[in-house]
Amino acid sequence: MSGCKEYKSVMSRRQFVGRGAVATTAALTMPAWMPRMAFGQGGTNRDVLIAVFLEGGADGLSICVPYGDADYYVHRNTEAIARPDSTDPNKAIDLDGFFGVSPAFQPLIDVFNDDKLLFVHATGAAKNTWSRSHFDAMRWHELGKPDDISLGSGWLGRHLNTSSPSVVGAPLRGISMSYGMMDMLATAPLTLPIPYPENFGYEGYFPHRAEMLQVIKDAYNQAGDPLKTVAQNTQNTVNLLNAIDFDNYVPAGGAVYPENEDFARAMRVTAAMMRAEIGLEVVGIRVGGWDTHEGQGTNDGYLRGVLDVVAKTLKAFYTDMNGANKPNFVVAVMSEFGRKVIQNGSGCDHGYGNAMMLMGGNVIGGRVMSNWPGLAIDNLFEEQDLKVTIDYRDILAEVIKKRMKNNNISQVFPNFTPTYRGTVAA
């Protein structure tokens, strides 16, 4: 797999921004992995939202396969996934008689059959000026308003700014599990970019750590706001996360997260924080590596491998949460754009329409939601891409309103009126 120069440039810039992130080599742990927090009570009937962004333009036609559309096989030869009734060992797993999934998604079939996994196809930003640039499309998608370079806040940031805390007194409402703040969480209150919550603290070894922390606290207490408040909240967050013994976290329900995979690590850490009930409301997670111009390997190569990691990780998280009786979560999986319908050599170039996934205890799943536009040349956007028939903000807005209990949708998604499609229970 070889990504385009722009995507590699975006990734290198983000890594550079993160060089100043704080880390620690020693964590203050409690005797048990789960701490006992004491906060005031707030709206406890809300879900925790985990927004997973597949950066680089994930191929939605390989995530949710339209095997019932004969033109899918006309446009793709080596990168098509065979029909479920094929003798091909890498054939699709049927979902509804028209759509299927890659065999890599076998771990999620039980979740789908439990009606807790929903696919939304032919989705994206329903706007013809949508960009094929990674930089623009990622930013517009995360800000929640396409083709607007003036907007400085993200859709999740605006959600937290227009809703009361789920748990009163909790120092951490949101985490961007990345070196720099994800655009979707820009301006969010009580939210920090923390790539490794299990190692969050102060860099270096301090034999007199308590004294050092007191000096820092005293110094910032003399400063004025907003610096003083930000510093205090950061210290409170350090103490909060250090109280969780992440290393000894035991997933519930027999869940097994893939080893040595960063996405699996991020979801496992998220599960530990959620089960510790620290008041966390939203988590943003980046999963890179989806820019498959060459060597896509849909059936037995690169893409099959990354889909396998995503599927096994999501299944482990689902099992963990349900085993711990923590069903109030929604995982929303999205990407900035899809890949072209028409294969180019051994890969697929930047496209338009795509597929999304929702998973959670209150998701109305077990189906593929789609107003399918068809893959014949005359039905393609610019005769090369899947058309968008469902705006991605319809899906996210319904989650925010029904599961996050925020009615200020016009502020979360400005200048947009969503259509609620019955994706989650009220």
Side-chain angles (χ1 to χ4, degrees), residues 63-266:
I63 292 174
C64 189
V65 184
Y67 73 82
D69 190 323
D71 287 297
Y72 169 67
Y73 297 99
V74 171
H75 300 312
R76 295 191 175 187
N77 42 46
T78 63
E79 300 311 316
I81 297 177
R83 291 176 52 89
D85 57 4
S86 167
T87 59
D88 191 317
N90 294 314
K91 63 185 178 182
I93 302 171
D94 180 50
L95 295 179
D96 62 3
F98 186 89
F99 291 103
V101 289
S102 164
F105 270 38
Q106 178 64 56
L108 288 171
I109 294 302
D110 287 345
V111 185
F112 183 84
N113 290 337
D114 284 345
D115 297 337
K116 302 305 180 185
L117 176 63
L118 172 71
F119 293 91
V120 184
H121 221 322
T123 185
K127 186 178 178 69
N128 289 344
T129 57
W130 189 249
S131 174
R132 297 180 193 277
S133 158
H134 288 293
F135 187 83
D136 288 340
M138 286 179 192
R139 178 170 173 77
W140 293 344
H141 201 293
E142 291 195 50
L143 295 184
K145 188 181 180 187
D147 203 16
D148 186 349
I149 62 174
S150 66
L151 198 60
S153 59
W155 64 273
L156 273 178
R158 293 190 295 275
H159 157 61
L160 291 182
N161 271 304
T162 56
S163 61
S164 60
S166 179
V167 177
V168 178
L172 189 66
R173 296 183 67 187
I175 284 184
S176 176
M177 212 169 289
S178 53
Y179 286 104
M181 188 75 80
M182 294 177 69
D183 284 338
M184 67 175 69
L185 281 160
T187 75
L190 298 177
T191 300
L192 292 172
I194 308 175
Y196 297 94
E198 66 271 42
N199 295 322
F200 189 57
Y202 294 96
E203 196 172 53
Y205 171 70
F206 300 95
H208 304 289
R209 189 172 187 274
E211 291 86 342
M212 181 272 294
L213 295 178
Q214 188 61 50
V215 169
I216 293 175
K217 181 179 179 179
D218 292 343
Y220 281 106
N221 280 342
Q222 298 177 32
D225 278 329
L227 181 59
K228 176 182 177 179
T229 299
V230 171
Q232 289 175 339
N233 183 66
T234 300
Q235 182 59 61
N236 290 339
T237 301
V238 170
N239 295 335
L240 180 73
L241 296 179
N242 284 180
I244 303 174
D245 187 357
F246 290 101
D247 289 342
N248 293 310
Y249 173 71
V250 180
V256 178
Y257 291 87
E259 296 184 359
N260 303 317
E261 296 290 346
D262 199 56
F263 178 46
R265 178 204 61 80

Side-chain angles (χ1 to χ4, degrees), residues 12 16 45-46 93 98 103 124 147 150 153 163 188 192 216 270 286 331 400 407 420:
S12 64
F16 176 80
N45 62 336
R46 303 180 195 173
I93 302 171
F98 186 89
D147 203 16
S150 66
S153 59
S163 61
L192 292 172
I216 293 175
T270 297
R286 289 180 175 138
V331 180
I400 292 294
N407 291 320
Y420 298 132

Side-chain angles (χ1 to χ4, degrees), residues 171-397:
L172 189 66
R173 296 183 67 187
I175 284 184
S176 176
M177 212 169 289
S178 53
Y179 286 104
M181 188 75 80
M182 294 177 69
D183 284 338
M184 67 175 69
L185 281 160
T187 75
L190 298 177
T191 300
L192 292 172
I194 308 175
Y196 297 94
E198 66 271 42
N199 295 322
F200 189 57
Y202 294 96
E203 196 172 53
Y205 171 70
F206 300 95
H208 304 289
R209 189 172 187 274
E211 291 86 342
M212 181 272 294
L213 295 178
Q214 188 61 50
V215 169
I216 293 175
K217 181 179 179 179
D218 292 343
Y220 281 106
N221 280 342
Q222 298 177 32
D225 278 329
L227 181 59
K228 176 182 177 179
T229 299
V230 171
Q232 289 175 339
N233 183 66
T234 300
Q235 182 59 61
N236 290 339
T237 301
V238 170
N239 295 335
L240 180 73
L241 296 179
N242 284 180
I244 303 174
D245 187 357
F246 290 101
D247 289 342
N248 293 310
Y249 173 71
V250 180
V256 178
Y257 291 87
E259 296 184 359
N260 303 317
E261 296 290 346
D262 199 56
F263 178 46
R265 178 204 61 80
M267 292 299 286
R268 181 180 181 275
V269 167
T270 297
M273 291 187 292
M274 288 174 58
R275 288 179 58 191
E277 298 183 355
I278 62 175
L280 191 64
E281 298 175 56
V282 298
V283 179
I285 299 175
R286 289 180 175 138
V287 184
W290 301 88
D291 198 23
T292 52
H293 289 274
E294 301 173 5
Q296 182 162 306
T298 306
N299 289 292
D300 56 4
Y302 176 82
L303 186 59
R304 173 69 179 266
V306 294
L307 289 175
D308 180 76
V309 171
V310 167
K312 288 179 178 176
T313 298
L314 292 178
K315 176 58 180 296
F317 184 81
Y318 178 84
T319 301
D320 194 353
M321 291 294 96
N322 281 278
N325 194 28
K326 300 289 183 182
N328 283 5
F329 69 90
V330 176
V331 180
V333 183
M334 65 203 87
S335 189
E336 72 264 31
F337 47 56
R339 315 302 296 183
K340 288 184 180 178
V341 175
I342 302 171
Q343 182 179 331
N344 179 24
S346 62
C348 303
D349 295 328
H350 298 179
Y352 183 40
N354 210 347
M356 292 178 66
M357 291 186 286
L358 289 185
M359 183 183 77
N362 296 292
V363 170
I364 304 173
R367 61 200 169 111
V368 179
M369 177 180 292
S370 181
N371 178 14
W372 190 245
L375 298 180
I377 287 292
D378 291 345
N379 293 330
L380 298 181
F381 175 67
E382 297 182 348
E383 297 188 343
Q384 57 187 336
D385 295 322
L386 176 66
K387 284 183 179 177
V388 170
T389 59
I390 298 177
D391 195 293
Y392 77 103
R393 291 168 293 181
D394 287 348
I395 310 305
L396 299 178

